[in-house]
Amino acid sequence: MARPLVEKTADRLLELILNRGYVVGDKLPNEYELAQDLEVGRSTIREAVRSLATRNILEVRQGSGTYISSKKGVSEDPLGFAMVRDRVKLTTDLFELRYLLEPRIAERVAQFASDEDIRRLEEIVYAIEDAVQRGDESHLELDVQFHSMLAEMSDNIAMTSLLPVINQSIHLINENYTNRQMKSDSLKAHRNILSAIKQRHPVAAYDSMLAHIVAVRQSVLTEWFDKDLTIHGLHSVEK
Amino acid sequence: MARPLVEKTADRLLELILNRGYVVGDKLPNEYELAQDLEVGRSTIREAVRSLATRNILEVRQGSGTYISSKKGVSEDPLGFAMVRDRVKLTTDLFELRYLLEPRIAERVAQFASDEDIRRLEEIVYAIEDAVQRGDESHLELDVQFHSMLAEMSDNIAMTSLLPVINQSIHLINENYTNRQMKSDSLKAHRNILSAIKQRHPVAAYDSMLAHIVAVRQSVLTEWFDKDLTIHGLHSVEK
C-alpha cells in the first residue's frame, strides 16, 4: 500500500477526530463509515487507524472496536531514552529537568488547585505512606503518580505530558533505588509539599519541592557512586 | 502474527543494537542474519524492525537496507500535542517550559562549551541574520536550530531530545508568528546570548536567555490577543 496515502489519511482521520470533539474513551465509527467519510478504501482506513494506534492516539480493542486512547498520543519512551547507553548520566540529566520544572509546578498548584484537587493529593500521600508501612513496592508507582498529579493540577498541558515520562524513566533505570532512609525522608517531604499547598503558600510549596528533588537526586547519585560506577560526564554534580 | 513475540523480539533487537555499539547511520545485518542471531523467523524480524522503525530507532531504506535512524528514537509529536485543541493555551504552556529550561541551558553552555561549539554557534547566529536580511523564511527553521544546538551543547541528554520538540511545536502552531519588530529584537537577543557565552559569563548568559524568552513569549501572546482569540486558561500571564 502506498505510504503517502496512508499518512495523509491518518492526518485527515486525526483532523476528523478533533473536529468532531471525540474525547478519551469514545468509540470511533466503524471502518466502513470512516472509509465513506474520508472517501478512501477500507484497507487504507485500517492502515491509518493502525498508524494512529502506534502513536497512542487510538486503541483497537479486538472484537469491540476502535476507541480514543487514554494515552493521549504520548507514546512509550517518546524521547528515545531506551537508546541512551550511559544510565548514570541519563539519570543525572533527568533530575536536572525535575529540579527546573517541579518547584514551579508545586508553586502553581499552591496558587491554583481546587479544594477537590487537594483532597485527591492528600489521598495519594496517605496511600504512599500506607504502602511503605506495609512494605509494598507499589509505593514507587504511587510516587510517580503523586508527581504526575501535581503536574496535571498545575494546569500546563506540556507538563502534564512530560512529567510522567521523566519520572517513569528515572524509576525504570533505578529500580528499587530507595533505601529505608530515603523512604522516610520522602514521606516527610511529601507531607511538607502537601501542607504548603493546603495553606495556599506558593513560596513554601516551591521551596519544599526544591528541597525534595535535591535530596532525592543526591541520594540516588550517592547510591550509584557507592556501586563504584563511572561518574564520567557528571559535571552537574559539584566537583 | 502473535504481537507478544514481535514485541519481545523488538526488545531483544534493541538490546542487540545497544550491545554491539551501533551508532547513527550504521547499517544493520540483513534479515537472514538477524533471524539467526535472535533465533526467530524472518517474518518476525521484519515485524520487529518495522516496530523499531515506527519508534524512529531504525530507518528502512528501500533497496538498500536497515540503518540506525538519526532521529534517535524520538518520534514525531512524541508528547501528543497534535491532540490538543486549544492552540493558544498550548503555546503558553510550551513557553512556560522554555522559560524554565532555556536560561539554565545558556548558563551551562557559557560554562562548559568548547571553543569549537562556540564557533558553530556564532555561524548559526550569522546565518539567521543573513536569512532575515534576505527576507528568507528559513530563519524560522534556523532559530529552532540555534536553540536546539544550545541544548545539545549543555550536554544534557534529556534537554537535547526535549528542546527541539518544544520549539518545533511552537513554530508549527504559530506559523509566521514573527513580525518585523520581533525579528529585529530576536537578532539583538541572539547576539547578547552569544556574546555572554563567548565571554564565558554564565550569569549574563542566563539573564540574556531569560530576557529573550520573556520578550518572545510576550510578543507571541500579544499577537494572539490582537487576533481577538480566547484567553481562557492563560493564567500564567499576569492578570
Side-chain angles (χ1 to χ4, degrees):
Chain A
M1 177 152 324
R3 296 308 302 170
L5 177 61
V6 171
E7 276 157 35
K8 217 176 126 196
T9 307
D11 285 348
R12 289 176 57 218
L13 182 54
L14 177 58
E15 217 178 292
L16 178 148
I17 290 168
L18 290 174
N19 287 340
R20 294 198 185 160
Y22 290 120
V23 297
V24 169
D26 279 354
K27 188 175 175 176
L28 234 56
N30 62 36
E31 270 172 20
Y32 181 78
E33 286 176 60
L34 290 176
Q36 285 204 317
D37 289 341
L38 297 178
E39 295 173 329
V40 293
R42 285 175 61 182
S43 54
T44 307
I45 287 291
R46 202 171 306 131
E47 287 285 320
V49 164
R50 193 197 272 210
S51 146
L52 293 186
T54 312
R55 285 171 62 189
N56 280 341
I57 290 170
L58 295 177
E59 190 190 331
V60 181
R61 297 189 202 142
Q62 280 320 323
S64 164
T66 301
Y67 296 81
I68 310 294
S69 168
S70 60
K71 293 176 187 162
K72 295 178 182 171
V74 181
S75 47
E76 247 175 272
D77 188 33
L79 297 172
F81 296 148
M83 285 292 280
V84 179
R85 278 188 201 82
D86 188 338
R87 311 313 277 169
V88 184
K89 169 112 180 78
L90 179 58
T91 303
T92 323
D93 290 356
L94 288 168
F95 266 109
E96 175 82 1
L97 288 189
R98 296 189 62 181
Y99 165 84
L100 294 171
L101 301 177
E102 296 210 44
R104 174 72 156 195
I105 288 175
E107 180 183 54
R108 288 175 57 97
V109 172
Q111 193 177 344
F112 297 117
S114 68
D115 292 342
E116 167 60 19
D117 281 346
I118 293 178
R119 209 189 47 69
R120 280 170 57 215
L121 209 57
E122 195 158 20
E123 256 170 32
I124 202 157
V125 167
Y126 292 152
I128 295 173
E129 294 185 356
D130 267 8
V132 169
Q133 255 169 7
R134 281 183 288 109
D136 182 344
E137 284 307 312
S138 73
H139 72 90
L140 291 171
E141 188 47 43
L142 288 168
D143 185 88
V144 173
Q145 268 184 44
F146 173 72
H147 290 276
S148 303
M149 195 182 276
L150 284 169
E152 207 176 299
M153 289 172 183
S154 79
D155 191 31
N156 179 310
I157 304 169
M159 296 276 195
T160 306
S161 303
L162 180 60
L163 248 279
V165 173
I166 297 174
N167 288 328
Q168 201 70 58
S169 299
I170 292 178
H171 276 282
L172 285 178
I173 301 170
N174 304 277
E175 276 176 71
N176 303 317
Y177 73 81
T178 40
N179 57 39
R180 193 173 303 175
Q181 182 57 41
M182 277 171 75
K183 274 179 203 162
S184 125
D185 289 349
S186 268
L187 295 189
K188 240 175 272 169
H190 287 173
R191 285 263 178 169
N192 285 341
I193 295 163
L194 176 66
S195 149
I197 290 171
K198 281 175 82 169
Q199 290 168 57
R200 303 286 185 185
H201 195 323
V203 175
Y206 186 100
D207 288 354
S208 7
M209 181 60 90
L210 187 69
H212 176 44
I213 304 287
V214 168
V216 178
R217 162 153 85 174
Q218 214 152 29
S219 307
V220 171
L221 293 177
T222 310
E223 291 262 307
W224 281 108
F225 297 152
D226 285 346
K227 286 189 205 146
D228 219 351
L229 281 164
T230 171
I231 58 160
H232 173 72
L234 278 187
H235 55 223
S236 56
V237 172
E238 265 60 50
K239 275 171 197 158
Chain B
M1 178 155 319
R3 296 307 303 171
L5 178 60
V6 171
E7 277 158 34
K8 216 176 127 194
T9 307
D11 286 347
R12 287 175 58 217
L13 182 55
L14 177 58
E15 217 178 292
L16 177 148
I17 290 167
L18 291 173
N19 287 341
R20 294 198 186 161
Y22 290 119
V23 297
V24 170
D26 279 355
K27 188 174 175 176
L28 236 56
N30 62 35
E31 271 173 18
Y32 181 78
E33 285 175 61
L34 289 175
Q36 284 205 317
D37 289 342
L38 297 178
E39 295 173 327
V40 292
R42 285 174 61 182
S43 55
T44 306
I45 287 292
R46 201 170 308 130
E47 287 284 321
V49 164
R50 192 197 274 209
S51 144
L52 293 186
T54 312
R55 285 172 61 189
N56 279 341
I57 290 170
L58 294 177
E59 189 189 333
V60 181
R61 297 189 202 143
Q62 281 320 323
S64 165
T66 302
Y67 297 80
I68 310 294
S69 168
S70 60
K71 293 177 187 161
K72 295 178 182 171
V74 181
S75 46
E76 248 175 90
D77 188 33
L79 297 173
F81 296 147
M83 285 292 280
V84 178
R85 279 189 199 81
D86 188 338
R87 312 313 278 169
V88 184
K89 169 113 180 79
L90 179 59
T91 303
T92 323
D93 290 356
L94 288 168
F95 266 109
E96 175 83 3
L97 288 189
R98 295 190 63 182
Y99 165 83
L100 294 171
L101 301 177
E102 296 210 46
R104 173 72 158 198
I105 288 174
E107 180 183 53
R108 288 175 57 98
V109 171
Q111 192 176 346
F112 297 118
S114 69
D115 292 341
E116 167 61 18
D117 282 346
I118 292 177
R119 210 188 46 70
R120 281 169 56 213
L121 210 55
E122 196 157 20
E123 255 170 34
I124 202 157
V125 168
Y126 293 153
I128 295 173
E129 294 185 356
D130 266 7
V132 169
Q133 257 170 5
R134 281 182 287 109
D136 182 344
E137 285 306 313
S138 73
H139 72 89
L140 291 171
E141 188 47 43
L142 288 168
D143 185 88
V144 173
Q145 269 183 43
F146 173 73
H147 290 277
S148 303
M149 195 183 276
L150 284 169
E152 206 176 299
M153 289 172 183
S154 80
D155 192 30
N156 179 310
I157 304 167
M159 296 277 195
T160 307
S161 304
L162 180 59
L163 248 281
V165 173
I166 296 174
N167 288 328
Q168 201 70 58
S169 299
I170 292 177
H171 276 282
L172 285 179
I173 301 169
N174 304 276
E175 277 176 69
N176 304 317
Y177 73 80
T178 41
N179 57 38
R180 194 173 302 174
Q181 182 56 41
M182 276 172 75
K183 274 179 202 161
S184 126
D185 289 349
S186 266
L187 296 188
K188 240 176 275 168
H190 288 173
R191 285 264 179 168
N192 286 341
I193 295 163
L194 177 65
S195 149
I197 290 171
K198 281 175 81 169
Q199 291 170 57
R200 303 288 184 183
H201 195 323
V203 174
Y206 186 100
D207 287 355
S208 10
M209 182 61 89
L210 187 68
H212 176 44
I213 303 287
V214 168
V216 178
R217 163 152 84 173
Q218 216 152 27
S219 307
V220 171
L221 293 177
T222 309
E223 292 263 306
W224 281 108
F225 297 152
D226 285 348
K227 287 187 206 149
D228 219 351
L229 280 163
T230 171
I231 58 160
H232 171 72
L234 278 186
H235 55 222
S236 56
V237 173
E238 266 58 51
K239 277 173 196 156

